[in-house]
mmCIF file of all heavy atoms in Angstrom:
data_model
loop_
_atom_site.group_PDB
_atom_site.id
_atom_site.type_symbol
_atom_site.label_atom_id
_atom_site.label_comp_id
_atom_site.label_asym_id
_atom_site.label_seq_id
_atom_site.Cartn_x
_atom_site.Cartn_y
_atom_site.Cartn_z
ATOM 1 N N LEU A 275 31.815 284.053 76.261
ATOM 2 C CA LEU A 275 32.702 285.142 76.626
ATOM 3 C C LEU A 275 33.961 285.058 75.795
ATOM 4 O O LEU A 275 34.363 283.966 75.389
ATOM 5 C CB LEU A 275 33.082 285.091 78.117
ATOM 6 C CG LEU A 275 32.080 285.527 79.166
ATOM 7 C CD1 LEU A 275 32.639 285.248 80.557
ATOM 8 C CD2 LEU A 275 31.775 287.026 79.023
ATOM 9 N N ARG A 276 34.601 286.182 75.571
ATOM 10 C CA ARG A 276 35.886 286.235 74.920
ATOM 11 C C ARG A 276 36.892 286.915 75.846
ATOM 12 O O ARG A 276 36.738 288.102 76.148
ATOM 13 C CB ARG A 276 35.817 286.984 73.592
ATOM 14 C CG ARG A 276 37.087 286.843 72.741
ATOM 15 C CD ARG A 276 37.085 287.829 71.600
ATOM 16 N NE ARG A 276 38.055 287.462 70.566
ATOM 17 C CZ ARG A 276 38.507 288.294 69.642
ATOM 18 N NH1 ARG A 276 38.077 289.550 69.603
ATOM 19 N NH2 ARG A 276 39.391 287.872 68.742
ATOM 20 N N LEU A 277 37.900 286.175 76.251
ATOM 21 C CA LEU A 277 38.958 286.727 77.080
ATOM 22 C C LEU A 277 40.114 287.218 76.210
ATOM 23 O O LEU A 277 40.406 286.641 75.158
ATOM 24 C CB LEU A 277 39.502 285.675 78.037
ATOM 25 C CG LEU A 277 38.469 284.944 78.923
ATOM 26 C CD1 LEU A 277 39.172 284.000 79.884
ATOM 27 C CD2 LEU A 277 37.605 285.943 79.679
ATOM 28 N N SER A 278 40.770 288.276 76.674
ATOM 29 C CA SER A 278 41.944 288.827 76.005
ATOM 30 C C SER A 278 43.103 288.909 76.971
ATOM 31 O O SER A 278 42.910 289.118 78.173
ATOM 32 C CB SER A 278 41.653 290.231 75.437
ATOM 33 O OG SER A 278 40.628 290.183 74.477
ATOM 34 N N CYS A 279 44.319 288.731 76.455
ATOM 35 C CA CYS A 279 45.531 288.914 77.235
ATOM 36 C C CYS A 279 46.470 289.798 76.451
ATOM 37 O O CYS A 279 46.963 289.398 75.387
ATOM 38 C CB CYS A 279 46.181 287.551 77.536
ATOM 39 S SG CYS A 279 47.823 287.652 78.286
ATOM 40 N N ALA A 280 46.738 290.995 76.966
ATOM 41 C CA ALA A 280 47.646 291.919 76.342
ATOM 42 C C ALA A 280 49.036 291.737 76.937
ATOM 43 O O ALA A 280 49.208 291.828 78.156
ATOM 44 C CB ALA A 280 47.153 293.355 76.570
ATOM 45 N N ALA A 281 50.025 291.511 76.074
ATOM 46 C CA ALA A 281 51.366 291.205 76.485
ATOM 47 C C ALA A 281 52.332 292.338 76.137
ATOM 48 O O ALA A 281 52.162 293.020 75.126
ATOM 49 C CB ALA A 281 51.869 289.914 75.841
ATOM 50 N N SER A 282 53.329 292.533 76.970
ATOM 51 C CA SER A 282 54.365 293.550 76.711
ATOM 52 C C SER A 282 55.641 293.139 77.410
ATOM 53 O O SER A 282 55.635 292.303 78.319
ATOM 54 C CB SER A 282 53.907 294.925 77.154
ATOM 55 O OG SER A 282 53.674 294.976 78.531
ATOM 56 N N GLY A 283 56.768 293.730 77.003
ATOM 57 C CA GLY A 283 58.038 293.491 77.651
ATOM 58 C C GLY A 283 58.866 292.345 77.072
ATOM 59 O O GLY A 283 59.935 292.031 77.618
ATOM 60 N N PHE A 284 58.383 291.729 76.025
ATOM 61 C CA PHE A 284 59.131 290.665 75.353
ATOM 62 C C PHE A 284 58.665 290.558 73.898
ATOM 63 O O PHE A 284 57.654 291.169 73.522
ATOM 64 C CB PHE A 284 58.989 289.335 76.081
ATOM 65 C CG PHE A 284 57.586 288.764 76.098
ATOM 66 C CD1 PHE A 284 57.226 287.724 75.234
ATOM 67 C CD2 PHE A 284 56.634 289.249 76.966
ATOM 68 C CE1 PHE A 284 55.955 287.200 75.255
ATOM 69 C CE2 PHE A 284 55.354 288.737 77.014
ATOM 70 C CZ PHE A 284 54.993 287.706 76.156
ATOM 71 N N THR A 285 59.442 289.788 73.100
ATOM 72 C CA THR A 285 59.084 289.636 71.701
ATOM 73 C C THR A 285 57.970 288.586 71.577
ATOM 74 O O THR A 285 58.240 287.393 71.468
ATOM 75 C CB THR A 285 60.313 289.234 70.873
ATOM 76 O OG1 THR A 285 61.352 290.183 71.113
ATOM 77 C CG2 THR A 285 59.974 289.214 69.393
ATOM 78 N N PHE A 286 56.755 289.068 71.611
ATOM 79 C CA PHE A 286 55.575 288.234 71.731
ATOM 80 C C PHE A 286 55.516 287.157 70.635
ATOM 81 O O PHE A 286 55.185 285.995 70.919
ATOM 82 C CB PHE A 286 54.326 289.114 71.695
ATOM 83 C CG PHE A 286 53.042 288.375 71.765
ATOM 84 C CD1 PHE A 286 52.544 287.924 72.980
ATOM 85 C CD2 PHE A 286 52.261 288.164 70.635
ATOM 86 C CE1 PHE A 286 51.344 287.272 73.077
ATOM 87 C CE2 PHE A 286 51.045 287.510 70.692
ATOM 88 C CZ PHE A 286 50.590 287.067 71.926
#
Side-chain angles (χ1 to χ4, degrees):
L275 283 174
R276 190 192 197 198
L277 307 184
S278 298
C279 172
S282 62
F284 65 102
T285 306
F286 179 79

